[in-house]
Every structure is written in C-alpha cells, then in structure tokens.
C-alpha cells in the first residue's frame, strides 16, 4: 500500500538503495541519525495487537510511502498515519483502542501540561460561575470584585487537588496490584500523559456553561461520564490490561477524589460544591 508523503530520512539499516525507514507520523518525524537509529529500541506499537514495531512506514523515492506490516497480526502497524487528523479525532471520541494507541505510542504530542492547565481552568470557571450564580450579589464595589477573583483562584486550586487525588488513587492501586502480581511496575510517566490527554472532554464544560439551559446538570454528568470512559480506555491501552483492572483503577481514583471532596466540604473551603453538578460522587 503506497501513498504520498514527506521523505527526508536517511536509509535504514539493511534497506535497499533509495528506501528510507519511516519513524512515526510522516508529518511529524524528523531525520534520525544512523547511530541513534541502530541503538533505538522498538518504540512504536501496532495499533491492532499492541506488539512493538521498529518502524511505521518505509519511504521510497519520490515520496512514495509503504506502511509496515505487523509480523504478529499481519495487519498494517498504523493505518492512521494516512488518515486526516479529523478522522483520528472522531475515532478517539468513539474511544477506539486503535486510535488511542496511535496517539499515545506512534505520535509525538507534547501538550499534556498545557491541556491539563486549560482543562483545570475550564473546571474552575464552571465552579466559580456556579458560585457567583448562587450568590446573587451585584455590588460593583472593588472589594467585591477582588473577592470574586480570589474565589476563582480557590476553585482552581481545589480542582487541581481533586484531580491530583484522582490520579494518585489510580497509581496507588496499579502499583499495589502489580506488586502483588509480581509484575513489572507500569510506566507511570506514560500513564500520566495518557490520563492527561484522555481528559480532553473537560473542554466541553465551557460550551455547557455558555449554552445554559435547564438540562445543564445532565450535560455536566454526561461530560463527566465521557471523561471517565476516556480515562478507562487510556489505562487499558497504555498498560495493555484487562477491562476489569482498568475499571477498578478508575473506581479507586474516584474514591480518592471523593475523599478529597469530602475533606474540602468538612473544612468549608469549597463553598460552591453544593451547587456543582460536575462532581465525582454523583456517579
């Protein structure tokens, strides 16, 4: 199978004259020095069977690409390198494991931190908006505006701590489970990146607030459910594990998050939590 694409990499070891070993997405990959390519491990994955692969495609002369065939399942290692990003996004929204493997293993995405901050800002804005909506205070005094600004910062801090508790609950369970099963500990850095990327559904919180109507609480619960489903799929794909284990990990994360929410309520720090529909204990 061939297609047009970008060339520019040096010929891989053992490849015929005029053939280049492709590494990653043809639109994202730079040239790899021969010494580095020889020492590099199998850093890609087949999106069908999750087996490791050394390359995703071969670049022949005149920009003709040939997708590598997996030696295990005899299917293309990553068919998504030919797909439009919109199609990949739609498949990711549908929580297809193949799309998640393509995004997590076969592309170079370094927006985890920025996406996390933006999602937390969306969640903090939602809580701040609900808090202001319930206060009904229209005093334009500077002190009132200053207090409202600090309310937003407080909501951001609370949302960050609850998110951290959710991740800690997941990591703790997986670490204990792997220790008991005498398995190799998972790559928590990769798992953290997968969880951050799979939380992109929180971006829907802003449209839910802008298009306010009587069904907003239901919309918030559906968004929460979608985020949890994406997190579940990210854990399953990253660790290549059973659905049951991924589900229990999500439940442990929710329990840790719920404990943090309960703590804030006991301390009366999260004033707006009573009117917030976007809470883990609602599920």
């Amino acid at each position: 199978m061939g297609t047009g694409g970008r060339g520019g990499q040096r010929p891989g070891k053992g490849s015929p004259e005029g053939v280049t070993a492709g590494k990653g997405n043809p639109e994202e990959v730079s040239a790899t020095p021969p010494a580095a390519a020889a020492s590099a491990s199998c850093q890609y994955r087949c999106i069908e069977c999750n087996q490791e692969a050394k390359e995703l495609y071969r670049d022949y002369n005149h920009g003709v690409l040939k997708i590598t065939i997996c030696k295990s399942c005899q299917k293309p290692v990553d068919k998504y390198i030919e797909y439009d990003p919109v199609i990949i996004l739609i498949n990711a929204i549908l929580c297809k494991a193949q799309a998640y493997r393509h995004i997590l293993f076969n592309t170079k995405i370094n927006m985890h931190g920025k996406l996390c901050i933006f999602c937390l800002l969306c969640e903090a804005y939602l809580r701040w908006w609900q808090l202001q909506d319930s206060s009904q205070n229209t005093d334009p005094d500077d002190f009132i505006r200053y207090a409202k600004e600090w309310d937003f910062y407080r909501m951001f801090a609370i949302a960050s701590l609850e998110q951290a508790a959710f991740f800690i609950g997941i990591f703790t369970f997986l670490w204990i489970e792997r220790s008991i099963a005498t398995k190799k500990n998972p790559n928590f850095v990769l798992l953290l990146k997968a969880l951050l990327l799979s939380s992109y559904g929180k971006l829907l919180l802003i449209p839910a607030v802008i298009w306010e109507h009587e069904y907003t609480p239901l919309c918030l619960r559906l968004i929460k459910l979608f985020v949890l489903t994406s997190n579940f799929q990210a854990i399953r794909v990253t660790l290549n594990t059973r659905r049951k284990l991924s589900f229990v990990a999500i439940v442990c994360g929710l329990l840790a998050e719920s404990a943090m929410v309960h703590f804030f309520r006991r301390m009366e720090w999260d004033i707006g939590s009573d009117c917030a529909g976007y809470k883990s204990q609602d599920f």
Side-chain angles (χ1 to χ4, degrees):
M1 179 165 52
T3 181
R6 297 182 181 178
Q9 293 186 327
R10 302 179 182 180
K13 185 178 180 180
S15 60
E17 186 68 24
V19 179
T20 301
K23 301 291 184 179
N25 193 314
E27 295 191 2
E28 297 179 355
V29 178
S30 58
T32 304
S39 61
S41 59
C42 300
Q43 56 181 327
Y44 305 108
R45 299 286 183 89
C46 173
I47 64 173
E48 302 293 342
C49 64
N50 202 47
Q51 290 296 317
E52 295 183 343
K54 293 183 178 180
E55 60 189 18
L56 301 180
Y57 65 92
R58 290 258 170 170
D59 187 359
Y60 293 84
N61 286 335
H62 308 296
V64 178
L65 303 180
K66 182 178 181 180
I67 297 180
T68 304
I69 302 300
C70 178
K71 297 180 180 179
S72 177
C73 63
Q74 301 302 316
K75 295 181 179 180
V77 172
D78 192 345
K79 62 183 179 181
Y80 284 113
I81 63 176
E82 292 185 312
Y83 284 31
D84 188 87
V86 176
I87 303 299
I88 299 175
L89 178 60
I90 293 175
N91 281 265
I93 293 175
L94 295 176
C95 291
K96 289 189 175 182
Q98 295 88 343
Y100 272 75
R101 291 191 183 104
H102 167 77
I103 295 172
L104 297 176
F105 298 121
N106 299 338
T107 59
K108 298 178 180 179
I109 299 179
N110 297 316
M111 56 179 296
H112 313 86
K114 295 179 180 179
L115 181 61
C116 177
I117 295 298
F118 193 72
C119 288
L120 288 174
L121 288 173
C122 292
E123 187 169 357
Y125 174 77
L126 172 65
R127 299 184 182 193
W128 177 82
W129 170 77
Q130 291 177 322
L131 179 63
Q132 304 307 315
D133 186 63
S134 62
S135 63
Q136 301 297 331
N137 192 334
T138 59
D139 193 340
D141 187 77
D142 290 340
F143 177 78
I144 299 298
R145 288 198 298 268
Y146 181 77
K148 290 182 177 181
E149 180 180 351
W150 277 103
D151 282 338
F152 176 80
Y153 298 148
R154 180 163 56 88
M155 293 298 106
F156 179 83
I158 291 174
S160 301
L161 292 174
E162 291 178 5
Q163 181 82 305
F166 177 72
F167 290 158
I168 290 174
I170 293 176
F171 294 153
T172 301
F173 166 77
L174 292 175
W175 181 78
I176 295 175
E177 189 275 336
R178 291 301 169 106
S179 299
I180 295 176
T182 64
K183 298 180 181 178
K184 182 180 178 182
N185 287 330
N187 186 344
F188 286 118
V189 175
L190 178 61
L191 181 58
L192 177 61
K193 292 181 178 180
L195 288 172
L196 292 176
L197 284 177
S198 61
S199 298
Y200 66 92
K202 292 183 179 181
L203 299 178
L204 297 174
L205 293 173
I206 295 299
V209 173
I210 295 176
W211 298 326
E212 180 188 359
H213 51 76
E214 61 272 18
Y215 300 111
T216 297
L218 176 61
C219 293
L220 299 180
R221 287 178 172 83
L222 291 177
I223 291 172
K224 179 67 176 182
L225 181 61
F226 174 73
V227 172
L228 292 177
T229 303
S230 299
N231 293 153
F232 165 85
Q233 191 72 313
I235 295 174
R236 191 171 77 88
V237 168
T238 304
L239 302 182
N240 193 29
T241 187
R242 307 182 307 274
R243 289 184 174 89
K244 181 179 179 181
L245 182 65
S246 301
F247 177 77
V248 176
I250 291 294
V251 171
C252 291
L254 284 176
L255 291 175
E257 182 182 2
S258 298
M260 184 67 69
V261 172
H262 180 70
F263 170 76
F264 287 138
R265 287 185 172 180
R266 287 290 300 271
M267 299 298 294
E268 298 182 353
W269 290 348
D270 193 0
I271 300 176
S273 60
D274 292 332
C275 60
Y278 186 72
K279 286 293 183 181
S280 60
Q281 62 267 32
D282 291 335
F283 303 92

